Amino acid sequence: LSLLLLTLLIFTSRCLFSHDHPTPHTEASSYSAPSTPVIIGEGEFRYQLVPGWADENAATHALGHGHAIAEDSTGRILFLNASAEHCMIILDKQGKLLDAWGTFAPGAHGLAIVKEDGREVLFITDNSNNGKVFKTTLEGEILMTLSYPEASGLYKSAADFRPSETMHLPNGDFYVIDGYGKDYIHHYNAEGTYLSSFGGDIGKGEARLEHWGPHGGGIDMKDTASPDIILALSDRNRIKRFTLGGDWLSTLVLPGSNPRDIVFHRDHIVIPHLGDDWPKDRNAAGYISILDRDFKVIANLGGNPPVYDENGHLQTMTHSAHIFHHPHGICFDRAGNLYVAQFASNGTWPLKFKKLQP
């Protein structure tokens, strides 16, 4: 009997500590942001958490899923969340609530601040069924509403259109990513007139975009004579580059990723990953990658450092600690501080990280 018990004990211990049975991640309903000033990143990309930033507003304003965050020209932080009561939350740099508005976009998902005729306007995408794109003032006045691009001939009904984000050119033209609908990228002029589409089932091979692919993106203006579009293909674990006309240029596979957006910051590309095993593990913590302009990952915030093999192939990336829970949208303020909006994270307010000197 003693021998049997010893055998069972050894077997149980091996199961508990086996790599095949990892410690379960924190459930979304139990997640809380760290309460200490933890430091993430490495080298010149190190950031320190400001614990409890903006949390005092929880007593008066309940949040939906956090989706996007940006800084306006006056230094205010605009936080977009999926709420039928106030999709837009506006905060100062100390986390104090300045304003809250927006009952028109219960599925608010994407946010862009655009300079137009000497003022700033917002583009907000709602990824509900029969989704829409709203152009608004900073105070929430709706200036333009776009439904599905009927002129494209690509949709049977408006219900199939579920846009995730917009991308903008200096001349006012913009692109709408239909990331939750039919996976097309639609091009409009500044007045909101439909021009063309690519992605989805258009073209062949890499020119196509599979479902649960195009989620976020940005227009790379490094070469102003020939800008290109970079798309974050979330559940496809990769990013793709296209010309403005929709011709495929290249694909970069990011093992262990779930890229949700493309953010340009001080000659780097920054990508938030919802989770490193999503959607298989919907409680995987997630992390943020920083890439140089050769598209090499040089740091992971909240993740293990990137590793390349002798052939230059990026190895599978993972989070290093459960600091984040589904980082979805990010922005940097003028001082280089980092703000993170989190999806399905127990109603937590955005996280603020202070930039540390190398």
Side-chain angles (χ1 to χ4, degrees), residues 302-337:
N304 290 307
V307 175
Y308 286 83
D309 67 16
E310 62 275 9
N311 297 313
H313 297 140
L314 178 64
Q315 303 303 289
T316 300
M317 299 184 293
T318 61
H319 69 276
S320 57
H322 210 124
I323 294 169
F324 298 116
H325 199 88
H326 304 147
H328 188 280
I330 60 173
C331 80
F332 296 87
D333 66 19
R334 289 162 181 74
N337 301 312

Side-chain angles (χ1 to χ4, degrees), residues 5 10 69 89 108 118 149 155 170 207 217 322 325 332 338 341 343 345 352:
L5 289 174
I10 293 173
I69 194 161
I89 297 286
Y155 294 82
H322 210 124
H325 199 88
F332 296 87
L338 170 67
F343 169 79
S345 58
K352 177 178 180 177

Side-chain angles (χ1 to χ4, degrees), residues 181-236:
K182 303 289 285 184
D183 309 293
Y184 298 115
I185 315 300
H186 303 297
H187 183 191
Y188 295 81
N189 67 15
E191 288 71 41
T193 301
Y194 169 79
L195 299 177
S196 62
S197 302
F198 69 91
D201 58 3
I202 298 173
K204 297 180 179 179
E206 291 284 355
R208 292 194 170 204
L209 296 172
E210 299 174 282
H211 195 44
W212 305 129
H215 183 276
I219 297 178
D220 189 353
M221 297 297 298
K222 184 177 181 180
D223 181 357
T224 56
S226 182
D228 53 56
I229 293 171
I230 305 177
L231 296 175
L233 308 183
S234 58
D235 290 11
R236 301 299 166 181

Side-chain angles (χ1 to χ4, degrees), residues 142-162:
I142 298 176
L143 303 173
M144 179 174 68
T145 302
L146 294 177
S147 184
Y148 80 112
E150 185 176 7
S152 70
L154 296 170
Y155 294 82
K156 293 181 179 179
S157 73
D160 294 332
F161 182 59
R162 300 181 61 191

